[in-house]
Amino acid sequence: MTDSKYFTTTKKGEIFELKSELNNDKKEKKKEAVKKVIASMTVGKDVSALFPDVVNCMQTDNLELKKLVYLYLMNYAKSQPDMAIMAVNTFVKDCEDSNPLIRALAVRTMGCIRVDKITEYLCEPLRKCLKDEDPYVRKTAAVCVAKLYDISATMVEDQGFLDQLKDLLSDSNPMVVANAVAALSEINEASQSGQPLVEMNSVTINKLLTALNECTEWGQVFILDSLANYSPKDEREAQSICERITPRLAHANAAVVLSAVKVLMKLLEMLSSDSDFCATLTKKLAPPLVTLLSSEPEVQYVALRNINLIVQKRPDILKHEMKVFFVKYNDPIYVKLEKLDIMIRLANQSNIAQVLSELKEYATEVDVDFVRKAVRAIGRCAIKVEPSAERCVSTLLDLIQTKVNYVVQEAIVVIKDIFRKYPNKYESIISTLCENLDTLDEPEARASMVWIIGEYAERIDNADELLDSFLEGFQDENAQVQLQLLTAVVKLFLKRPSDTQELVQHVLSLATQDSDNPDLRDRGFIYWRLLSTDPAAAKEVVLADKPLISEETDLLEPTLLDELICHISSLASVYHKPPTAFVEGRGAGVRKSLPNRAAGSANANADQTGEAGQGSESMVIPNQDSLIGDLLSMDINAPAMPAAPASTTSNVDLLGGGLDILLGGPPAADSVAPAGGASSLLGDIFGLAGTSLSVGVQIPKVNWLPAEKGKGLEIQGTFSRRNGEIYMEMTLTNKAMQPMTNFAIQLNKNSFGLVPASPLQAPPLPPNQSTEISLALGTSGPIQRMEPLNNLQVAVKNNIDIFYFACLVHGNVLFAEDGQLDKRVFLNTWKEIPAANELQYSLSGVIGTTDGIASKMTTNNIFTIAKRNVEGQDMLYQSLKLTNNIWVLLELKLQPGNPDATLSLKSRSVEVANIIFAAYEAIIRSP
């Protein structure tokens, strides 16, 4: 007898039993069998072998059985595409069934089966269902179009489904309209072109607003999101839309409320801020936001993150609602911290007493993180509300007296900021702070205390002893504390040189010889050289007046805030980051921004426009309009715009919060020294006095206006940068038979706001003569995005005619002198900028050493932050800042002896990449 008996069995198995049950003649048995199959499928068992048997069960009038079979098909059609074709005829037949539920079920299932072969058969049934008499079938078909677009976009466009979908926006049933809007929004996001598929106009908007009142809550969310993308043509239309949307604020669903708030926040930008309607609408926005705070904690948190944005944009909305943000004992920590943040944003002179009383109470809580934040909040109140500063300092002193270690440490950190905000006002409390010196064990608190001792050394009799006590464990201190100690001891020496000489020598020795921290060593060497070469200069540098810190160092950068307001009720408003930072692929790259107040308001007068221009700290570059029209209509005889004063505010700040926030305070308006003074001072320090400043790369002149187009006037030109100014270098040649006089020049709106700093000073030009012109350009002009970005359109007038030409501004002249980032800021910013905003470029023909290239780059305002050698490759990490405050971070990979190099670029505005790459090419190839 063979061993085959061990491999045979009398049991038929579960699949066999299900197969026989599926082929049973009794309907009930068949239904039970399909339910068993679905149950097995749900728990992860493979029942794909039953595919043909389950498909045979489709031929039934029983709706429940049909649903189960369709569910099975959706799951297994992808793995059995050839078998799935067997079901097509049934689908087509079901799409014409008398029961609308079956028609809708069939078209929905066909849309969910992502098999190309089936997709071909879906078109005709879908077309019929989009025109079906039953609204349930039409609304299901609308969603099916979006699913089909995901599978085959070209088929949807070729078959005309998009037009049918647009027609459904006029449907009589509100749910059909809502689903059509949802489908079109989904298709818009998936679209490669980035262009809106539906041109929103007054008629379409009216239809959506009509449907808004009658559809389900999620339908309302879809419609409101579409309305948020619409820009009304004038203030009157904006007001009308606001009136029709306002009732949604009373909805029970938080998503509908926040979507309505988003639309109203956007439309408020188009309303006159001093109108009664605007004031009424602002009052109406407060109650729904307050109501959201009575929900469960998770919803509260989402609401609070959105409210945080709203309060930054329009603090007036919730200025009378401070009490609702007071912390409850049973709030989770994440809600407490968020409420605390909003309390500070709403703090003002009228409610500060109430706020301080609350904060003092919070500082005695048991939750350490919350207590720390509460103590910091008291400091922020002192900085924000000046009249309350004394009361805040008194509160902080009371907290220090509690002797609770972490409370004392946080108090010292914030008192340091208060000293910087109000110099020579509260220094009398220093002695109290010094009493707690021994209890400090956190780096930030120790660094703050050291800073206070160094800054006010002349008022502390035993300052040298206090600092000496810190130096005993210098090597074990955190880098932050070591840097502060070094600076504090140098300050002390400059104030009391006679009795602190040994101390300063000791700390300089520790910093330069015993430390392996490059930042500490570099600072030590600079101080040493300064003190030994020119103590007067050292005093000017080290004891210079500190810039006052701003009242709000953690506000979001204005352009980012405007973008996030457009994303209220989405994940971006919870993260406080634009979608590009955490979403890759579909729709992530489409940036949204609030409408321009001046442009949106049809009757906005000139004064309002002026105020809007001055008030906004940053401006998004607008799209290009009819440029020829602009040039033809400009007044060529108008006086030139004055040169822009050196300004610290930006047209575009793409560091998502700016350097001010990353470094903990804004740059002072007067902290930028004149170029000549700074260079001569550094020259003296390092023994470089008398050497001339190097000049950036010089791009040869090209022909901008040929003589045949200029009626005999030929203009050759280029751009250069000298002493922090941009110059337009031109050679004017008269090839005509008559003299040329009365020269004038005007520049069209451009991406960088370039305008002549003074009128064109050109002498009369006799025939066959040339003259050299160097025209200084300011950057305070109107901004308009150009294609390409560095395109500059110019009009030149003389006694013969007006001539128009376009030229390209060289990238290197747009690089500002203050483009060097701190290493820490560079690293943090590089991490914050999403991977989608990184571009690579290959450079060829690279000549010279790495140090030589770095030096050449520095001459052109591209600053090397750090240099590393990785596996034989030199890596240069560089930063630059364009004149409109766009920051660009770069990594240059070089291999000694190899003429090819790789340049990686990161910026929040990658549109500038081509300008940067071209500039690198020119600089690297320059002699």
Side-chain angles (χ1 to χ4, degrees):
M1 190 172 172
T2 64
D3 291 334
S4 60
K5 63 174 182 175
Y6 297 114
F7 298 96
T8 58
T9 175
T10 52
K11 281 193 173 180
K12 298 291 185 185
E14 191 179 7
I15 297 289
F16 183 84
E17 286 173 15
L18 286 171
K19 197 180 186 82
S20 60
E21 285 179 35
L22 286 168
N23 293 311
N24 199 302
D25 294 335
K26 291 181 180 176
K27 284 185 180 178
E28 282 306 311
K29 281 264 188 186
K30 198 177 274 193
K31 189 161 72 173
E32 284 302 310
V34 174
K35 282 182 178 178
K36 285 180 188 174
V37 171
I38 298 295
S40 299
M41 182 179 83
T42 308
V43 297
K45 290 181 183 174
D46 182 16
V47 284
S48 57
L50 299 170
F51 198 92
D53 303 285
V54 177
V55 169
N56 286 338
C57 298
M58 284 176 75
Q59 309 291 341
T60 176
D61 298 329
N62 186 309
L63 187 60
E64 188 184 0
L65 180 55
K66 201 174 274 286
K67 277 183 179 177
L68 291 167
V69 174
Y70 280 179
L71 189 61
Y72 177 90
L73 273 171
M74 279 191 265
N75 196 48
Y76 282 116
K78 210 163 190 179
S79 59
Q80 307 261 358
D82 295 329
M83 289 281 196
I85 295 291
M86 292 163 48
V88 166
N89 286 337
T90 313
F91 282 133
V92 174
K93 188 178 163 190
D94 283 353
C95 285
E96 294 177 5
D97 196 277
S98 58
N99 185 340
L101 292 175
I102 289 179
R103 296 202 296 275
L105 183 63
V107 79
R108 178 194 290 145
T109 310
M110 284 182 84
C112 290
I113 296 176
R114 301 175 63 84
V115 176
D116 292 336
K117 291 178 181 177
I118 288 188
T119 311
E120 297 165 19
Y121 297 97
L122 176 60
C123 296
E124 210 46 52
L126 182 57
R127 190 175 283 108
K128 286 179 184 174
C129 288
L130 283 166
K131 294 178 180 174
D132 198 280
E133 59 188 23
D134 192 282
Y136 180 75
V137 180
R138 294 200 299 277
K139 85 179 183 73
T140 308
V143 176
C144 190
V145 174
K147 289 178 178 174
L148 184 59
Y149 189 89
D150 202 32
I151 301 166
S152 175
T154 49
M155 183 184 289
V156 170
E157 288 163 11
D158 296 345
Q159 294 285 341
F161 288 135
L162 289 180
D163 294 326
Q164 280 188 270
L165 208 49
K166 291 171 194 174
D167 293 341
L168 289 183
L169 293 176
S170 311
D171 199 278
S172 57
N173 187 289
M175 270 316 299
V176 177
V177 176
N179 276 23
V181 168
L184 285 166
S185 302
E186 181 80 13
I187 292 169
N188 248 344
E189 284 183 16
S191 172
Q192 298 298 317
S193 66
Q195 297 298 318
L197 297 170
V198 181
E199 198 56 53
M200 288 288 183
N201 52 38
S202 304
V203 180
T204 313
I205 292 298
N206 204 35
K207 288 171 187 169
L208 295 184
L209 286 166
T210 306
L212 186 63
N213 300 321
E214 299 174 49
C215 58
T216 65
E217 50 198 22
W218 296 113
Q220 290 179 36
V221 170
F222 286 128
I223 291 174
L224 287 166
D225 285 348
S226 285
L227 291 171
N229 296 325
Y230 174 64
S231 295
K233 58 179 183 289
D234 55 30
E235 189 174 346
R236 190 175 170 185
E237 188 186 0
Q239 201 166 317
S240 165
I241 294 171
C242 286
E243 284 171 349
R244 295 177 71 176
I245 285 175
T246 308
R248 299 299 107 212
L249 294 173
H251 202 283
N253 187 313
V256 176
V257 174
L258 282 175
S259 292
V261 168
K262 171 170 62 181
V263 181
L264 294 172
M265 285 291 291
K266 204 165 177 185
L267 294 175
L268 272 170
E269 292 295 304
M270 302 194 66
L271 303 176
S272 304
S273 52
D274 53 355
S275 68
D276 291 341
F277 181 81
C278 192
T280 310
L281 190 58
T282 303
K283 282 180 189 169
K284 285 180 181 175
L285 279 169
L289 292 171
V290 170
T291 307
L292 290 175
L293 298 182
S294 56
S295 316
E296 53 271 23
E298 293 80 7
V299 175
Q300 273 190 62
Y301 178 72
V302 172
L304 286 164
R305 293 294 281 174
N306 281 275
I307 288 169
N308 199 322
L309 296 173
I310 293 164
V311 166
Q312 286 185 55
K313 186 70 184 170
R314 293 185 176 274
D316 289 354
I317 291 176
L318 289 160
K319 65 181 177 184
H320 301 303
E321 305 292 344
M322 175 64 86
K323 280 191 175 175
V324 300
F325 298 107
F326 286 173
V327 171
K328 295 174 186 169
Y329 76 95
N330 59 348
D331 280 338
I333 182 65
Y334 55 86
V335 170
K336 284 181 178 177
L337 296 176
E338 207 56 43
K339 281 185 174 179
L340 207 52
D341 210 28
I342 294 168
M343 280 171 65
I344 308 307
R345 298 205 191 286
L346 292 174
N348 56 39
Q349 210 168 331
S350 61
N351 60 25
I352 192 69
Q354 207 178 13
V355 172
L356 276 178
S357 152
E358 277 288 311
L359 292 175
K360 193 172 179 182
E361 193 68 33
Y362 300 161
T364 59
E365 290 274 339
V366 291
D367 192 311
V368 177
D369 285 340
F370 182 51
V371 171
R372 285 176 183 279
K373 185 107 176 188
V375 175
R376 293 221 175 193
I378 295 171
R380 281 174 63 190
C381 284
I383 290 164
K384 186 180 180 188
V385 188
E386 195 165 334
S388 75
E390 200 154 332
R391 189 183 288 172
C392 292
V393 171
S394 163
T395 306
L396 287 168
L397 284 175
D398 290 347
L399 291 171
I400 288 173
Q401 298 307 326
T402 63
K403 302 291 182 187
V404 177
N405 193 358
Y406 54 85
V407 174
V408 172
Q409 304 205 69
E410 286 297 329
I412 286 173
V413 171
V414 296
I415 285 172
K416 180 201 74 173
D417 290 340
I418 293 171
F419 283 170
R420 283 192 60 190
K421 177 71 175 175
Y422 308 109
N424 305 317
K425 202 167 181 185
Y426 299 110
E427 284 76 11
S428 56
I429 67 170
I430 290 175
S431 57
T432 312
L433 302 182
C434 291
E435 289 169 15
N436 295 281
L437 208 59
D438 298 334
T439 64
L440 306 181
D441 55 15
E442 290 174 12
E444 195 175 3
R446 288 173 75 81
S448 297
M449 194 66 228
V450 169
W451 181 88
I452 291 169
I453 296 168
E455 190 66 18
Y456 302 103
E458 69 279 12
R459 303 181 189 212
I460 306 170
D461 296 334
N462 63 336
D464 51 342
E465 292 172 23
L466 295 174
L467 291 175
D468 199 24
S469 68
F470 277 99
L471 289 179
E472 288 169 12
F474 186 83
Q475 302 296 353
D476 302 324
E477 294 284 5
N478 182 280
Q480 181 183 3
V481 182
Q482 289 178 338
L483 287 164
Q484 281 296 357
L485 267 172
L486 174 60
T487 304
V489 171
V490 171
K491 283 179 185 173
L492 177 64
F493 172 72
L494 291 169
K495 290 173 181 176
R496 290 160 43 184
S498 54
D499 54 347
T500 55
Q501 199 158 346
E502 280 185 31
L503 189 64
V504 79
Q505 285 180 338
H506 178 45
V507 77
L508 287 171
S509 170
L510 286 171
T512 55
Q513 294 170 26
D514 301 343
S515 171
D516 56 0
N517 181 340
D519 292 337
L520 187 63
R521 274 208 313 270
D522 290 351
R523 190 181 290 192
F525 280 126
I526 287 174
Y527 284 156
W528 203 316
R529 189 68 186 262
L530 266 171
L531 294 169
S532 58
T533 312
D534 190 349
K539 233 172 193 173
E540 281 182 44
V541 173
V542 182
L543 301 180
D545 289 339
K546 309 289 177 295
L548 298 182
I549 62 174
S550 74
E551 55 186 54
E552 288 285 9
T553 54
D554 63 340
L555 287 174
L556 290 169
E557 187 269 327
T559 47
L560 175 63
L561 178 61
D562 285 355
E563 187 179 352
L564 292 177
I565 291 288
C566 298
H567 289 292
I568 281 177
S569 80
S570 75
L571 206 51
S573 66
V574 178
Y575 285 163
H576 285 192
K577 290 181 179 180
T580 46
F582 58 89
V583 179
E584 291 186 2
R586 307 193 330 174
V590 182
R591 293 182 78 93
K592 295 182 179 181
S593 62
L594 292 176
N596 188 321
R597 182 182 290 278
S601 177
N603 57 1
N605 58 33
D607 294 340
Q608 286 172 318
T609 310
E611 285 168 17
Q614 292 163 9
S616 72
E617 286 194 7
S618 58
M619 192 161 93
V620 178
I621 299 175
N623 286 326
Q624 190 170 359
D625 293 327
S626 170
L627 298 170
I628 299 299
D630 281 352
L631 277 170
L632 291 174
S633 63
M634 67 188 182
D635 180 5
I636 203 78
N637 293 312
M641 291 182 71
S647 167
T648 55
T649 56
S650 63
N651 288 331
V652 180
D653 182 358
L654 290 144
L655 264 184
L659 275 176
D660 311 351
I661 291 169
L662 282 167
L663 292 172
D670 58 353
S671 66
V672 181
S679 63
S680 60
L681 175 64
L682 286 172
D684 290 345
I685 293 168
F686 293 105
L688 301 173
T691 58
S692 62
L693 283 173
S694 52
V695 180
V697 63
Q698 300 293 309
I699 311 286
K701 288 180 181 173
V702 295
N703 200 338
W704 284 346
L705 180 70
E708 55 270 21
K709 288 189 178 177
K711 297 186 179 177
L713 174 65
E714 181 181 88
I715 301 178
Q716 291 193 327
T718 186
F719 294 90
S720 67
R721 188 175 186 90
R722 303 194 300 275
N723 300 326
E725 278 198 83
I726 301 170
Y727 287 89
M728 201 171 181
E729 314 281 5
M730 293 180 286
T731 303
L732 308 186
T733 306
N734 182 359
K735 294 189 175 180
M737 304 299 290
Q738 66 186 93
M740 293 182 179
T741 57
N742 304 331
F743 285 96
I745 191 167
Q746 188 129 354
L747 308 183
N748 196 11
K749 297 174 191 172
N750 53 78
S751 305
F752 296 91
L754 296 175
V755 285
S758 58
L760 180 65
Q761 303 290 336
L765 201 56
N768 299 315
Q769 295 292 313
S770 296
T771 186
E772 299 290 332
I773 305 290
S774 192
L775 178 68
L777 301 180
T779 53
S780 62
I783 288 177
Q784 177 163 280
R785 184 177 179 133
M786 304 293 286
E787 259 336 304
L789 214 57
N790 56 336
N791 190 19
L792 183 66
Q793 297 186 327
V794 187
V796 172
K797 170 185 175 269
N798 61 14
N799 59 321
I800 297 172
D801 205 346
I802 298 175
F803 309 104
Y804 303 98
F805 62 88
C807 53
L808 295 178
V809 182
H810 312 312
N812 58 298
V813 305
L814 299 167
F815 301 163
E817 281 69 19
D818 58 344
Q820 183 158 14
L821 282 176
D822 173 76
K823 282 183 189 175
R824 177 174 50 84
V825 178
F826 181 94
L827 186 64
N828 290 342
T829 310
W830 186 278
K831 288 177 184 173
E832 282 174 15
I833 298 174
N837 283 35
E838 182 172 358
L839 297 176
Q840 290 206 330
Y841 184 76
S842 295
L843 293 162
S844 56
V846 179
I847 303 167
T849 63
T850 303
D851 290 339
I853 289 167
S855 170
K856 207 186 285 186
M857 293 295 172
T858 306
T859 306
N860 288 279
N861 296 336
I862 300 173
F863 299 95
T864 301
I865 311 301
K867 175 186 165 187
R868 281 197 310 153
N869 188 284
V870 181
E871 296 175 0
Q873 278 194 324
D874 287 332
M875 320 272 272
L876 295 180
Y877 298 95
Q878 300 176 320
S879 70
L880 64 88
K881 186 175 83 169
L882 295 170
T883 52
N884 59 356
N885 280 23
I886 293 177
W887 285 90
V888 181
L889 279 54
L890 303 124
E891 178 192 72
L892 182 61
K893 289 182 189 171
L894 300 156
Q895 196 149 11
N898 188 342
D900 297 327
T902 305
L903 181 64
S904 298
L905 174 148
K906 263 196 170 190
S907 172
R908 295 196 187 277
S909 179
V910 289
E911 300 89 9
V912 300
N914 289 334
I915 303 174
I916 311 297
F917 294 152
Y920 262 79
E921 289 274 12
I923 295 165
I924 272 181
R925 293 201 169 96
S926 66

